[in-house]
Amino acid sequence: VQLQASGGGLVQAGDSLRLSCAASGHTSFAMGWFRQAPGKEREFVAGIRRNEEYTSIADSMKGRFGISRDNAKNTVYLQLNNLKAEDTAVYYCAAREAYGISAEIGGYDYWGRGTLVTVSS
């Protein structure tokens, strides 16, 4: 399984971005997005179950971020709205063979290489 995250870039505070994570190989996974800011630990951002019916967003990001998937395209999206300087981080997508969502790094079996989001204030 290979995961390729894309869509990062340099934006202004208040802007929006949509990150994509394209999966190849066996793709019937629950998916998650994590981020790692400079000097900080990697943290959970959002997750989505295989059947799209259930999603989870980290409490601190609810109302600004959203997650969705297009199973026909084997792609998961992370919508980032009203970005703030503190959202600057490398964003990683991850996949797990289990059915449910996990907010734990160790709960995922596969990881992409990450895409950098830089928000200027």
Side-chain angles (χ1 to χ4, degrees):
V1 175
Q2 292 187 332
L3 304 175
Q4 181 63 53
S6 61
L10 173 62
V11 297
Q12 302 273 348
D15 285 352
S16 297
L17 273 178
R18 189 177 78 160
L19 308 183
S20 299
C21 176
S24 61
H26 179 47
T27 57
S28 297
F29 298 124
M31 302 289 292
W33 284 96
F34 289 74
R35 71 182 185 183
Q36 188 164 16
K40 295 188 177 181
E41 295 184 352
R42 193 170 299 190
E43 63 176 343
F44 174 76
V45 176
I48 186 166
R49 244 171 18 191
R50 295 179 189 178
N51 60 8
E52 308 174 56
E53 291 179 356
Y54 186 79
T55 63
S56 178
I57 308 293
D59 287 344
S60 62
M61 302 166 209
K62 285 180 180 176
R64 296 194 300 125
F65 293 180
I67 187 170
S68 61
R69 68 190 296 165
D70 184 337
N71 287 334
K73 296 182 178 180
N74 294 330
T75 300
V76 176
Y77 304 99
L78 182 67
Q79 181 67 40
L80 310 174
N81 297 323
N82 190 22
L83 283 161
K84 304 176 181 180
E86 52 264 41
D87 295 319
T88 294
V90 177
Y91 285 72
Y92 297 90
C93 62
R96 65 194 305 257
E97 296 182 355
Y99 179 72
I101 296 169
S102 174
E104 302 297 325
I105 294 172
Y108 289 82
D109 303 295
Y110 308 98
W111 289 85
R113 298 188 67 176
T115 184
L116 175 63
V117 173
T118 304
V119 184
S120 64
S121 57

